[in-house]
Amino acid sequence: MTVPQALIGFAAIVVVLTLVPGLDTAVVLRGALNHSRGYGLATVVGIFTGLIVWGAAAGVGATAMLAASSTAYRLLSLAGALYLAWMGAGMLLRSFCRGSRSRSAVGARAGAPQVGTVAGDASTATGAGAAPGGGAPLWRGWLTGLATDLLNPKAGVFYLAIIPQFMAVGVPPLLMGVLLAAVHGLCCVVWMGALAVGAAWIAPRLESGAGAALERWTDRVTGGVLLGFGTKLALDARV
């Protein structure tokens, strides 16, 4: 098999996998909707980085140890389950806390005289009333994408099963593993990057009340998805 044949054949598989919504998609959408376009794109870059690491590991055979050693697989599964559960629980808690604060603020405004309209309009125009989540550092988005990808042992097992089937003649396994992972990563960058840009474009065009509700429900849905994936990883580790 030549290098072009291997890359094209591998791309045909990972394109389909990339289009199927999953954990990575949920994390990217949540970052773009609740923070910023840059944060969502940084999360995509983190996922790309994780794929490159898994591809290199598959090329040198490190994932073979993961597949052969039930202890290693279980330890990584439990670490991933704890991380996802921590992220999911935090999102759910923050979303309900924000909901309580929003209802309290609405009640306070309803019982207060309407003064300072000009000042309020000025603060909105200058961005003083912008959501605090928009200023989240990009490195945090990158780290979220990276950790989400690396702490999923099924990604490593998938690469172990698929990448050896697309090794090109005369190419070092490490280099070929990185090249194949880069193809997968580019598919993720194109698709998830488009999702991040679209979500970030929609979010500020919603009314303030609708935007706050969308932020809360995005955290609740994403938190539920993360908890679900974490629970599944923990149950799989017990098998």
Side-chain angles (χ1 to χ4, degrees):
M1 182 181 293
T2 64
V3 172
Q5 289 173 335
L7 296 180
I8 293 172
F10 187 75
I13 295 175
V14 295
V15 163
V16 177
L17 293 177
T18 302
L19 294 177
V20 176
L23 178 61
D24 291 344
T25 307
V27 171
V28 169
L29 285 175
R30 187 259 177 187
L33 286 170
N34 289 10
H35 295 291
S36 66
R37 177 179 61 186
Y39 190 98
L41 293 176
T43 306
V44 175
V45 175
I47 293 170
F48 178 90
T49 307
L51 291 175
I52 295 296
V53 172
W54 277 124
V60 299
T63 53
M65 181 187 69
L66 182 65
S69 172
S70 60
T71 301
Y73 184 89
R74 287 176 180 174
L75 287 175
L76 187 57
S77 294
L78 288 174
L82 290 174
Y83 172 73
L84 294 177
W86 172 74
M87 282 185 63
M91 290 178 189
L92 289 172
L93 181 61
R94 285 192 298 271
S95 72
F96 284 107
C97 288
R98 279 198 300 265
S100 299
R101 288 196 298 267
S102 298
R103 287 190 294 271
S104 299
V106 170
R109 286 197 298 269
Q114 299 299 316
V115 295
T117 303
V118 175
D121 292 343
S123 66
T124 301
T126 58
L138 299 185
W139 64 263
R140 189 179 299 169
W142 175 83
L143 190 61
T144 298
L146 176 66
T148 301
D149 203 68
L150 289 183
L151 289 176
N152 183 6
K154 291 186 177 180
V157 174
F158 167 76
Y159 268 26
L160 173 66
I162 297 298
I163 282 183
Q165 313 302 320
F166 293 94
M167 287 295 174
V169 177
V171 180
L174 174 60
L175 176 59
M176 200 64 208
V178 171
L179 286 175
L180 293 171
V183 170
H184 189 184
L186 287 175
C187 293
C188 291
V189 167
V190 171
W191 173 241
M192 295 184 188
L195 292 178
V197 171
W201 182 85
I202 291 172
R205 285 162 175 77
L206 297 172
E207 295 181 0
S208 58
L214 176 63
E215 183 177 348
R216 289 195 302 272
W217 280 104
T218 300
D219 267 356
R220 290 172 189 176
V221 171
T222 307
V225 170
L226 293 178
L227 279 175
F229 271 97
T231 301
K232 189 175 187 307
L233 274 178
L235 291 176
D236 288 346
R238 295 178 57 189
V239 177

